[in-house]
């Protein structure tokens, strides 16, 4: 299909949408308060998604927990952060507020039939299969297996630091590589050697490029449903995709192709082993250094390792395969569904976790007193666990010991609350309904609204960021990073009664979040299924690095007295950049000054 024809179709679609808007009767959302549209095409999305931290929080501050915003081509959507309203969206009426067609269809093209690409009974069946995979028992088994990854990252940093000196290191790529190695080993039982600076991994590079490639197409994704419904023939779709004149789109196609081939090859190997063993328990044999896998004769990347001998079937893919093979036929998942879970888990467990760890280290670098206090607590826990005073930094904590360190838990929780890696999620209302509010809002006409009528077809934006900063729930200092809010006066962890209820034990309205009643990992039937793994990984990396290194902010100053500063942009995901003149304000990076830890670093 010629580029000119593609452009003509695109232009025709825009004209059709505008014509519909002109003829459209008064909006049923007309009385819901909200800002005026900023742009005829992008509406308010430009300010929301392009470094929109302040703008997103101001929407809640100015208009309340439900706000009408203008999306692409003038469509009206609801921006929701009210706790009772979100309880209805993600729990009580989650069957009405489903994922958008754009989200489901785009994810199906990228990841296949995984958790984030399915709805209804198919999604429930997949989740039922996956829930035991992320049990506490499996987390306890996985932690000692993947602990050496944090040790490797630590060693890489220490190798770069001159004796008795410090060095500025961009920690972000190493946090990303470490997170990728964590999730690949845990999910696939494979190492792609992404922590070896002398080697490159096509699979690893593809995963790292996936989120940036997708963000570059954020204003194209709404047209995916129209494309799939208009062109139903797979061959015609492929021809159209091959000729689509947008580099970002072609880049994404290449990334998806690499990921698909990699996961299919590994899946085929693992399944073949299980089938050939004649039993559910596989005979694990490590394959290392050989360019051929020995199963199907498919090429392996140089340095790629099957960790079967060390993992012994405890990786997520192996657990799922065994569970699936022993399930009743009606409960079993297809191979395509199992493959979809792998792609989904790898992506979901990589990008957000690496950003969360980088953010924590940045905060600790900017707050030396917090860093010292946390380091003291980590040292105490390791000394007690290992029964040693010297060499404590090399002690690896067990899962229960790791997650129970009070101040570490508070630091992680508060960081994930104030700076959620993902700020916004979308839903579509499938039938007319009403959203009740915990806090009334003032309508555009001046009346008080205790609920909002939501017509079928309305898109709802779940504002994780605004919910986590709601002063009526978290207090007047909700915008402040204060880990002590998660501790008792004696320094013990405050235990939360997790669940889907609208109120806590004291009768206070709370959010339906699966993690500490915050919305970072969502709630209800589509909550993040791997949040315990993410929490474990974050805590393991932070404790390992803090035990051996001290972090501080860059001190470089230019001729005009300008200091090198790191600015965290919000573009759906959190993106840290270095402001000019030291950086371009675009490239993601977190440069911190790193040195070996000294005794003075425990009392700063």
């Amino acid at each position: 299909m010629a580029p000119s024809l593609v452009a003509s179709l695109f232009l025709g679609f825009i004209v059709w949408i505008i014509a519909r808007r002109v003829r459209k009767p008064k909006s049923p959302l007309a009385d819901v308060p909200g800002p005026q549209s900023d742009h005829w095409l992008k509406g308010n999305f430009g300010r929301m998604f392009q470094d929109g931290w302040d703008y997103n929080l101001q929407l809640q501050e100015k208009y309340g927990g439900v706000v009408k915003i203008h999306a692409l081509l003038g469509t009206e959507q609801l921006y929701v952060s009210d706790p009772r309203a979100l309880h209805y969206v993600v729990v009580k009426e989650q069957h009405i507020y489903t994922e958008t067609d754009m989200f489901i269809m785009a994810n199906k093209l990228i990841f296949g039939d995984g958790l984030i690409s399915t709805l209804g009974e198919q999604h429930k069946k997949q989740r039922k299969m996956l829930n035991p995979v992320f049990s506490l028992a499996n987390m306890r088994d996985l932690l000692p297996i993947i602990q050496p990854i944090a040790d490797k990252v630590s060693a890489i940093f220490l190798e770069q630091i001159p004796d008795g000196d410090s060095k500025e290191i961009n920690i972000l790529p190493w946090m990303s590589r470490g997170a990728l190695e964590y999730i690949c080993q845990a999910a696939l039982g494979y190492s792609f050697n992404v922590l070896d600076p002398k080697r490159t991994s096509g699979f690893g590079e593809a995963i790292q490029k996936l989120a940036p490639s997708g963000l570059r197409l954020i204003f194209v994704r709404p047209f995916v449903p129209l494309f799939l419904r208009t062109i139903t023939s797979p061959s015609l779709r492929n021809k159209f995709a091959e000729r689509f004149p947008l580099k970002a789109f072609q880049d994404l196609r290449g990334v998806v192709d690499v990921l698909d081939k990699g996961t299919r090859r590994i899946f085929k190997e693992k399944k073949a082993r299980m089938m050939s063993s004649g039993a559910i328990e596989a005979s694990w044999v490590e394959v290392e250094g050989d360019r051929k896998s020995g199963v199907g004769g498919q090429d392996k990347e140089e340095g790629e390792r099957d960790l079967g001998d060390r993992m012994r079937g405890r990786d997520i893919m192996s657990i799922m395969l065994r569970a699936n093979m022993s399930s009743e036929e009606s409960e079993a998942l297809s191979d395509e569904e199992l493959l979809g879970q792998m792609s989904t888990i790898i992506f979901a467990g990589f990008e957000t976790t690496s950003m969360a760890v980088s953010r924590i280290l940045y905060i600790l670098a900017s707050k030396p007193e917090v860093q010292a206090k946390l380091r003291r607590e980590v040292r105490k826990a390791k000394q007690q666990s290992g029964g040693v005073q010297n060499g404590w930094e090399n002690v690896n904590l067990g899962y229960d010991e790791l997650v129970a360190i009070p101040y570490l838990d508070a630091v992680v929780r508060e960081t994930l609350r104030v700076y959620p890696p993902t700020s916004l999620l979308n839903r579509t209302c499938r039938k007319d309904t009403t959203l009740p509010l915990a806090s009334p809002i003032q309508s555009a006409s001046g009346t008080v609204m205790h609920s909002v009528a939501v017509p079928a077809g309305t898109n709802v934006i779940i504002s994780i960021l605004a919910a986590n900063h709601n002063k009526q729930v978290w207090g007047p200092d909700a915008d402040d990073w204060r880990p002590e809010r998660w501790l008792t006066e004696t320094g013990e962890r405050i235990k939360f009664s997790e669940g889907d209820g609208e109120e806590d034990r004291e009768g206070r309205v709370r959010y339906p979040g699966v993690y500490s009643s915050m919305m970072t990992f969502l709630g209800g039937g589509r909550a993040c299924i791997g949040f315990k793994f993410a929490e474990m990984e974050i805590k393991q990396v932070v404790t390992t690095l803090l035990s051996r290194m001290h972090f501080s902010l860059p001190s470089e100053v230019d001729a005009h007295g300008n200091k090198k500063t790191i600015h965290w942009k919000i573009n759906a995901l959190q993106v840290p950049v270095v402001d000019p003149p030291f950086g371009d304000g675009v490239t993601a990076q977190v440069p911190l000054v790193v040195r070996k830890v000294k005794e003075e670093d425990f009392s700063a």
Side-chain angles (χ1 to χ4, degrees):
M1 187 177 292
S4 58
L5 179 56
V6 174
S8 298
L9 289 173
F10 181 74
L11 180 61
F13 176 71
I14 291 179
V15 171
W16 175 68
I17 288 290
I18 293 174
R20 287 186 64 194
R21 297 284 171 254
V22 171
R23 297 195 303 267
K24 189 175 181 179
K26 181 181 178 181
S27 167
L29 303 178
D31 216 24
V32 179
Q36 295 294 317
S37 177
D38 298 313
H39 190 272
W40 70 271
L41 176 61
K42 295 186 290 186
N44 303 120
F45 273 18
R47 296 176 68 185
M48 286 177 63
F49 289 103
Q50 295 173 5
D51 201 10
W53 178 276
D54 291 336
Y55 185 75
N56 277 271
L57 293 182
Q58 287 166 6
L59 287 175
Q60 182 192 63
E61 287 283 336
K62 185 174 182 179
Y63 300 105
V66 176
V67 183
K68 179 182 65 181
I69 59 99
H70 300 272
L72 299 180
L73 296 170
T75 57
E76 294 177 344
Q77 300 187 5
L78 292 178
Y79 180 92
V80 181
S81 59
D82 181 273
R84 180 161 292 144
L86 286 180
H87 175 80
Y88 272 69
V89 172
V90 304
V91 179
K92 193 167 185 177
E93 293 187 345
Q94 58 182 295
H95 61 289
I96 296 176
Y97 296 95
T98 67
E99 302 280 10
T100 65
D101 292 344
M102 174 194 73
F103 182 88
I104 293 295
M105 292 181 178
N107 284 334
K108 193 178 289 288
L109 289 175
I110 295 172
F111 303 111
D113 291 323
L115 269 180
I116 61 174
S117 312
T118 55
L119 295 168
E121 292 304 314
Q122 185 183 14
H123 180 270
K124 290 179 182 178
K125 186 169 80 168
Q126 291 182 1
R127 198 171 184 94
K128 182 179 179 181
M129 176 71 70
L130 281 169
N131 274 329
V133 173
F134 291 97
S135 67
L136 288 178
N138 282 336
M139 294 302 101
R140 292 186 180 101
D141 282 344
L142 273 176
L143 180 59
I145 296 172
I146 59 180
Q147 277 172 335
I149 299 170
D151 293 329
K152 176 65 174 176
V153 174
S154 174
I156 289 171
F157 283 173
L158 291 173
E159 288 171 1
Q160 299 181 55
I161 303 172
D163 288 339
D165 204 348
S166 61
K167 183 178 180 179
E168 184 179 293
I169 299 174
N170 178 15
I171 67 166
L172 183 59
W174 294 110
M175 294 303 101
S176 297
R177 289 178 178 225
L180 180 55
E181 189 70 7
Y182 260 101
I183 197 62
C184 284
Q185 288 195 23
L188 303 178
Y190 258 69
S191 169
F192 290 91
N193 270 312
V194 293
L195 288 174
D196 187 340
K198 297 179 181 178
R199 285 177 173 158
T200 58
S201 164
F203 190 86
E205 288 182 346
I207 295 173
Q208 291 174 302
K209 291 177 181 177
L210 184 55
S213 298
L215 285 175
R216 287 161 60 197
L217 295 170
I218 192 169
F219 293 113
V220 176
R221 290 182 67 179
F223 302 103
V224 170
L226 175 70
F227 166 71
L228 293 179
R229 288 167 180 155
T230 304
I231 306 176
T232 57
S233 167
S235 60
L236 285 179
R237 286 178 183 174
N238 288 334
K239 289 180 180 179
F240 183 94
E242 288 172 0
R243 292 166 174 77
F244 193 74
L246 196 62
K247 185 178 184 301
F249 179 81
Q250 298 303 332
D251 289 344
L252 182 60
R253 285 188 69 230
V255 166
V256 171
D257 184 60
V258 172
L259 295 180
D260 182 64
K261 289 179 179 177
T263 51
R264 284 182 183 277
R265 174 172 56 78
I266 295 170
F267 177 81
K268 184 177 180 180
E269 292 176 16
K270 288 185 177 292
K271 187 174 181 180
R273 284 200 190 99
M274 287 189 177
M275 299 295 289
S276 64
S277 69
I280 293 176
E281 290 296 330
S283 175
W284 300 102
V285 180
E286 183 164 5
V287 181
E288 187 170 358
D290 191 351
R291 284 286 293 173
K292 295 293 181 181
S293 68
V295 181
Q298 299 184 49
D299 286 343
K300 295 167 65 71
E301 292 188 16
E302 183 179 357
E304 178 185 325
R305 291 185 298 141
D306 180 349
L307 303 176
D309 191 46
R310 182 158 66 86
M311 299 296 291
R312 295 193 177 278
R314 286 175 285 186
D315 58 277
I316 293 170
M317 181 181 280
S318 297
I319 294 171
M320 279 203 310
L321 275 169
R322 289 197 300 274
N324 203 54
M325 291 170 69
S326 61
S327 297
E328 296 290 336
E329 186 175 348
S330 60
E331 298 294 324
L333 305 183
S334 68
D335 284 0
E336 289 301 315
E337 287 179 290
L338 292 172
L339 280 164
Q341 311 313 326
M342 291 300 97
S343 300
T344 299
I345 290 169
I346 291 170
F347 173 71
F350 156 66
E351 187 74 29
T352 55
T353 306
S354 61
M355 284 297 176
V357 174
S358 297
R359 173 73 83 162
I360 289 174
L361 293 178
Y362 167 78
I363 292 172
L364 296 179
S366 63
K367 299 178 182 293
E369 71 286 353
V370 173
Q371 184 177 168
K373 181 178 180 179
L374 180 54
R375 186 177 286 111
R376 289 196 302 271
E377 194 173 82
V378 170
R379 177 173 63 178
K380 179 181 178 181
K382 289 193 171 188
Q383 286 176 338
Q384 290 177 344
S385 176
V388 296
Q389 293 298 311
N390 298 319
W392 61 268
E393 63 273 11
N394 297 318
V395 172
N396 284 322
L397 299 172
Y399 177 84
D400 295 292
E401 296 171 312
L402 178 67
V403 299
I405 300 176
Y407 199 57
L408 172 65
D409 188 65
V411 166
V412 172
R413 288 195 203 195
E414 185 70 345
T415 302
L416 291 173
R417 181 191 71 83
V418 179
Y419 307 108
T422 301
S423 303
L424 305 168
L425 292 172
N426 291 278
R427 295 289 185 269
T428 294
C429 181
R430 300 298 177 179
K431 73 174 187 178
D432 294 350
T433 188
T434 300
L435 273 182
L437 305 178
S439 300
I441 58 176
Q442 186 173 11
S443 71
S445 60
T447 61
V448 176
M449 301 178 70
H450 295 272
S451 62
V452 175
V454 185
T458 302
N459 274 11
V460 172
I461 297 175
I462 299 171
S463 179
I464 295 173
L465 180 65
N468 285 1
H469 284 251
N470 188 341
K471 292 180 173 61
Q472 294 179 335
V473 173
W474 303 103
D477 63 348
D479 292 338
D480 299 334
W481 187 87
R482 189 174 65 83
E484 287 74 19
R485 76 175 74 245
W486 302 99
L487 301 171
T488 65
E489 292 183 359
T490 58
E492 299 299 316
R493 291 193 305 162
I494 294 177
K495 294 183 179 180
F496 277 75
S497 53
E498 309 289 2
D500 292 333
E502 287 187 65
E503 299 178 347
D504 61 17
R505 292 173 180 173
E506 286 73 39
R508 296 171 299 192
V509 175
R510 68 174 187 178
Y511 282 103
V514 70
Y515 177 68
S516 301
S517 295
M518 67 180 79
M519 293 302 294
T520 301
F521 294 109
L522 210 58
R526 298 190 77 91
C528 175
I529 200 168
F531 77 93
K532 287 186 176 68
F533 179 85
E535 179 192 30
M536 176 182 74
E537 179 187 341
I538 292 168
K539 290 182 176 181
Q540 171 62 19
V541 174
V542 170
T543 55
T544 300
L545 297 183
L546 272 194
S547 298
R548 298 163 183 170
M549 281 162 282
H550 177 273
F551 298 88
S552 57
L553 296 178
S555 56
E556 188 176 353
V557 179
D558 68 7
H560 302 287
N562 298 312
K563 196 173 183 179
K564 179 183 284 189
T565 56
I566 301 168
H567 172 60
W568 293 75
K569 289 185 174 181
I570 173 175
N571 301 324
L573 297 174
Q574 306 284 336
V575 182
V577 300
V578 174
D579 291 332
F582 296 100
D584 58 11
V586 176
T587 305
Q589 55 181 311
V590 183
L592 297 179
V593 177
V594 186
R595 62 168 170 78
K596 293 180 181 179
V597 71
K598 302 176 182 178
E599 185 58 36
E600 64 193 50
D601 298 328
F602 292 85
S603 57

